[in-house]
Amino acid sequence: MRGAHMLDIRAIRQQPDEFKRKLGRKKVHPAIIDELLTADEAWRANLAETERLKNLRNTTSEAIARKKKNGEDATDDIAQMKEVGNRIKELDDIIRQQDERIREILLSLPNVPHDSVPEGASEDDNPVIRTWGELPKFNFEPKPHWEVAENLGILDIERAVKITGSRFVLYKGLGARLERALAAFMLDLHTDKHGYTEMFPAFIANEESLVGTGNLPKFGDEMFKLEGLPYYLIPTAEVPLTNYYRDEILSVDQLPTKFAGYSSCFRSEAGSAGKDTRGLIRLHQFQKVELVLLVHPDKSYEMLEQLTRDCADVLEALELPYRQIEICTGDLGSKDAKKYDLEVWIPASNTYREISSCTNFEEFQARRANLRFRPDESSKPEFVHTLNGSGLAVGRTVAAILENNQQADGSVRIPKALVPYMGGIEAIQAPASVKA
RNA sequence: GGAGUGAUGGCCGAGUAGGUCGAAGGCGCUCGCCUGCUAAGCGAGUAUACGUCUUAAAAACGUAUCGAGGGUUCGAAUCCCUCUCACUCCGCCA
């Protein structure tokens, strides 16, 4: 028996050309689809044969039982069934291998992009949907956030590197307080105003969960694996939250399910050597409030807009200028059907940087994680649609606040909404004697 | 970490000297009947996956599933092995 896969094999059988065209937008070679269909056909032929033999064995076994009860001889039947049994074993072996190959191909195929996703070759082709807020004007040269932070003594990168290694940081004093305040503020906003249920998961997940969200088998290199154990440090709370109802069937009134989860996120950042080597932008560990939605398939695109809105609300409440872009085919992730990014203004780099990704995965994760719902009492289970968005990445939010709100004297103004979370502090001041 | 017990359908719970067991019984749920209302009562139904068939779905048929995987056997919920999880006791520990 075969578990659910990311793409519906039956749909591919029926409309192979449609899938070739759509997956072609993600640079999937059509030959893969042909290989898949060939393997599928052979698999089904063998399956039909072994099922026929099993049926024969079942009926004959019943006959043997009857004969024995009546004191009749059944040795011929038993001898015949021994052979049938061997043939079944052979066939089942072949079927298992074919099944694994099919599963391998299906698990490696990316999600089908939604028709509305704009065509494009790379991130340079992502259209800007809208921009919000006024860019800050400085009458001095704005410093990058790591300089602002170290001058204030609220971030200690040198010692973090001593303790652990590069791409790790340590928040100190009001820096640690700011990190904590932001997480609490974001969680409160999403739970109180946006109707999410707060979740605090374990930061370690097993392989099944990572297959469920689509991080495995393709992207194992991007995560930290625990030595000798089938466990990984989670790259995002998306993993535990999306897997929360794995292998379960929800009732329709449980939709939409909206989770807001805070966690540390661990990323190996393999392949990004030399990129964003300074500051809080790209770390092996950062904290994030993640929003995860399980929704009715008819509602998922509507919900993607709402989710993006919920994440944008955080930026607006924090008075941070940002823009929303739509990810084009060339930049779309393997798991994604459609995605918006929110990018926050980073003055010292004179650019916008991603601070939230809001994605509709449609059935992709639901199939892998076997996440279903029953539309009504009498109907069969269907796959839900899953979405998630960062609401927000905390480290990058700290960076954005430090850079956008820095003052000529080196202090940093705390956004009004955050002041209560900072114990009433309205600005982080440079200490009289800076201790680095 | 040591010792022991256990894992059955939405839930509870039978079933271990292997043979019409997808699985008794109860509860819950759905539909119908009945009764001023409610409750009770009566009757029927109530898993999932995959395959075949079908334009498609449903139905029908087949196969599989009694924690997971493997083995013995013509035949396994029932016997054997491995693993996972839960509970109890002891030790350790934030």
Side-chain angles (χ1 to χ4, degrees):
Chain A
M1 267 179 316
R2 198 138 33 109
H5 298 299
M6 72 129 288
L7 294 178
D8 187 351
I9 182 72
R10 274 178 289 199
I12 298 176
R13 275 178 211 150
Q14 277 164 19
Q15 306 179 305
D17 294 336
E18 186 77 356
F19 275 88
K20 284 179 189 171
R21 183 182 68 75
K22 287 188 171 183
L23 288 172
R25 299 181 81 202
K26 279 200 182 172
K27 308 282 175 261
V28 172
H29 199 283
I32 294 283
I33 302 297
D34 290 326
E35 187 193 344
L36 176 66
L37 290 174
T38 306
D40 177 61
E41 208 167 313
W43 173 80
R44 279 184 293 153
N46 283 324
L47 189 67
E49 176 64 4
T50 194
E51 287 188 352
R52 189 185 66 79
L53 292 174
K54 283 176 181 174
N55 179 237
L56 175 65
R57 181 176 69 182
N58 288 345
T59 51
T60 311
S61 288
E62 275 175 36
I64 292 169
R66 230 177 296 118
K67 284 184 181 177
K68 284 199 163 185
K69 199 176 269 179
N70 298 336
E72 297 170 38
D73 178 58
T75 47
D76 283 355
D77 284 338
I78 291 176
Q80 195 196 337
M81 282 311 104
K82 199 174 178 86
E83 270 179 48
V84 169
N86 288 336
R87 179 64 188 142
I88 289 173
K89 210 168 278 182
E90 284 170 24
L91 272 173
D92 279 351
D93 263 0
I94 295 168
I95 288 168
R96 199 173 306 127
Q97 285 167 25
Q98 292 176 323
D99 195 36
E100 269 165 30
R101 179 60 191 145
I102 291 165
R103 181 177 168 77
E104 204 175 88
I105 296 172
L106 281 170
L107 281 176
S108 72
L109 287 174
N111 200 0
V112 173
H114 191 260
D115 283 337
S116 69
V117 172
E119 198 66 39
S122 74
E123 58 184 334
D124 300 329
D125 301 321
N126 295 333
V128 174
I129 306 280
R130 65 190 182 91
T131 59
W132 182 92
E134 291 208 10
L135 303 188
K137 293 193 186 77
F138 299 98
N139 52 16
F140 58 94
E141 186 65 26
K143 294 186 169 66
H145 63 274
W146 58 88
E147 277 181 31
V148 175
E150 296 211 306
N151 288 340
L152 292 171
I154 60 174
L155 190 67
D156 196 330
I157 293 173
E158 255 179 65
R159 290 198 178 87
V161 170
K162 175 177 73 178
I163 296 166
T164 310
S166 65
R167 293 204 190 278
F168 287 90
V169 299
L170 185 149
Y171 293 99
K172 185 179 181 183
L174 288 178
R177 176 80 189 241
L178 180 58
E179 161 91 24
R180 172 161 61 95
L182 279 169
F185 168 74
M186 291 175 192
L187 285 168
D188 283 353
L189 181 69
H190 294 308
T191 54
D192 296 344
K193 302 266 166 55
H194 298 152
Y196 291 80
T197 301
E198 185 170 346
M199 303 285 271
F200 186 70
F203 296 176
I204 293 174
N206 61 29
E207 286 175 340
E208 290 77 15
S209 295
L210 289 154
V211 170
T213 36
N215 301 85
L216 288 178
K218 275 179 101 177
F219 304 106
D221 289 351
E222 294 175 8
M223 296 181 287
F224 290 106
K225 186 173 192 300
L226 270 62
E227 192 175 353
L229 295 169
Y231 294 154
Y232 291 79
L233 296 181
I234 57 171
T236 158
E238 165 195 346
V239 174
L241 300 190
T242 306
N243 279 281
Y244 181 75
Y245 285 121
R246 172 153 52 87
D247 292 324
E248 295 188 35
I249 300 169
L250 306 180
S251 66
V252 71
D253 53 273
Q254 283 176 278
L255 302 181
T257 288
K258 300 167 72 172
F259 290 140
Y262 172 71
S263 83
S264 291
C265 305
F266 302 90
R267 312 230 168 138
S268 71
E269 294 298 342
S272 46
K275 263 192 214 164
D276 307 311
T277 49
R278 307 201 63 180
L280 297 167
I281 298 299
R282 192 176 299 276
L283 298 170
H284 288 311
Q285 177 190 334
F286 61 95
Q287 282 62 245
K288 180 158 59 72
V289 170
E290 181 76 359
L291 305 178
V292 169
L293 278 69
L294 312 180
V295 309
H296 193 289
D298 296 346
K299 293 280 196 303
S300 68
Y301 280 93
E302 196 179 306
M303 294 301 279
L304 177 63
E305 300 300 322
Q306 185 56 53
L307 170 66
T308 311
R309 187 62 251 164
D310 290 343
C311 294
D313 278 355
V314 180
L315 287 161
E316 293 183 16
L318 295 173
E319 306 159 48
L320 292 169
Y322 70 92
R323 65 180 190 183
Q324 179 181 342
I325 61 169
E326 174 162 10
I327 306 302
C328 70
T329 52
D331 193 27
L332 203 62
S334 164
K335 307 158 10 174
D336 315 335
K338 186 181 178 75
K339 171 151 85 177
Y340 296 118
D341 272 5
L342 299 177
E343 299 184 325
V344 71
W345 178 246
I346 299 290
S349 312
N350 197 40
T351 187
Y352 287 94
R353 294 302 303 251
E354 175 193 334
I355 196 166
S356 175
S357 269
C358 298
T359 312
N360 186 359
F361 303 101
E362 298 190 7
E363 286 187 2
F364 182 88
Q365 293 182 324
R367 283 187 171 277
R368 292 174 162 238
N370 196 24
L371 258 172
R372 294 174 296 169
F373 77 105
R374 207 179 287 281
D376 60 79
E377 286 291 345
S378 56
S379 49
K380 295 198 140 225
E382 290 178 24
F383 292 107
V384 303
H385 280 193
T386 66
L387 302 90
N388 68 49
S390 342
L392 307 166
V394 178
R396 289 187 179 184
T397 309
V398 171
I401 289 174
L402 295 180
E403 293 207 12
N404 283 282
N405 294 9
Q406 60 182 302
Q407 310 295 310
D409 65 359
S411 68
V412 170
R413 187 182 61 79
I414 300 297
K416 278 191 204 70
L418 210 55
V419 170
Y421 290 88
M422 289 295 287
I425 293 168
E426 292 178 348
I428 300 177
Q429 302 287 348
S433 60
V434 177
K435 291 177 199 159

